[in-house]
Amino acid sequence: MQEANTVDELVEQLIDVGRTAVDRGLVLASGGNLSARLPGSAEFVVTGAGTWLDRLRPQDFTTMNLDGEIVGGNPKPSSEWKLHQRGYRVREDVNSIIHIHPQHAVLVDALGHPIRLFTLDHAYYVKSVGRTDFYPNGSDELADTAAEEAKTHNCVIMGNHGCSALGEDVGMAFRRAMNLEEAATATYRALMLGDTTTAFPEQAWRSLHHA
């Protein structure tokens, strides 16, 4: 994706992500929610309540500020707006948050297994995976615990619910979400084969991230 220079361009990118996420089976109907902001902005756009991610239109987006106030657009933001607001408040470098419900990531986590990174893309884009316990959607507990995990992880699994992927732009956030689900699928297959330890080499990971 090219760099977005206007809010309208951000919205078009999120519309494309919503359609692609549903097409790839990463979320169904109105599950999940998407947001983005221009770098340095104190306002962000987020999908409205009940909007189907593969049928998004520009008028479906709500504009909010970091204080949680509606300042334009759809008067009814997603019930998960706090998840996005709190994420932006703790990560000045993040300009997009993709919250979807990928099946393998949620399943592997629910079964009590960590999601393992296997490929170079997993190690580079996902890097590490945070998680929270289950909390009701739209709750302060969910938003606050996810934000706390987002301080050190770009991908966060919310127990028995879904995942949140953060990025410096819409493309990177969605790339991380897709790589997280691919890593979870690979983890599931490895577990089916009886493997519980294989992962991307630790030394290679450290070299990749200059750790």
Side-chain angles (χ1 to χ4, degrees):
M1 285 185 177
Q2 295 182 341
E3 180 181 357
N5 295 307
T6 66
V7 172
D8 287 344
E9 290 176 353
L10 287 178
V11 167
E12 287 303 317
Q13 289 182 351
L14 292 174
I15 288 174
D16 182 59
V17 164
R19 186 183 307 113
T20 304
V22 173
D23 287 346
R24 295 192 177 197
L26 297 171
V27 68
L28 297 175
S30 60
N33 28 82
L34 319 172
S35 73
R37 64 177 176 177
L38 293 173
S41 176
E43 297 181 353
F44 63 95
V45 290
V46 63
T47 46
T51 50
W52 287 39
L53 295 195
D54 58 340
R55 303 178 186 178
L56 291 169
R57 305 162 300 168
Q59 58 264 42
D60 292 324
F61 290 81
T62 302
T63 302
M64 304 187 70
N65 62 30
L66 296 185
D67 291 325
E69 300 167 333
I70 297 171
V71 296
N74 188 330
K76 295 183 178 180
S78 166
S79 62
E80 298 279 22
W81 65 265
K82 294 177 184 177
L83 179 70
H84 300 265
Q85 175 221 17
R86 310 289 163 83
Y88 293 127
R89 289 177 69 171
V90 300
R91 291 284 301 274
E92 293 183 358
D93 61 313
V94 164
N95 297 306
S96 181
I97 299 176
I98 305 298
H99 169 52
I100 52 177
H101 300 163
Q103 296 179 36
H104 286 92
V106 174
L107 175 61
V108 170
D109 178 77
L111 292 173
H113 298 284
I115 294 173
R116 286 178 272 161
L117 311 180
F118 289 89
T119 72
L120 176 61
D121 279 356
H122 299 164
Y124 182 76
Y125 292 113
V126 177
K127 187 178 178 182
S128 62
V129 182
R131 73 169 309 280
T132 77
D133 292 333
F134 174 81
Y135 297 101
N137 64 300
S139 66
D140 286 309
E141 293 90 346
L142 178 61
D144 289 339
T145 55
E148 187 64 30
E149 289 294 297
K151 290 179 180 179
T152 51
H153 305 284
N154 289 316
C155 292
V156 179
I157 300 291
M158 288 162 276
N160 304 99
H161 182 167
C163 80
S164 185
L166 301 85
E168 58 267 34
D169 54 39
V170 174
M172 181 57 75
F174 190 45
R175 186 193 296 264
R176 285 177 171 146
M178 290 189 291
N179 271 281
L180 174 66
E181 176 62 356
E182 186 180 84
T185 301
T187 300
Y188 175 80
R189 290 171 176 168
L191 291 169
M192 291 291 288
L193 293 171
D195 180 280
T196 60
T197 59
T198 300
F200 192 76
E202 182 177 353
Q203 186 56 44
W205 185 94
R206 291 181 176 277
S207 177
L208 189 65
H209 295 290
H210 309 291

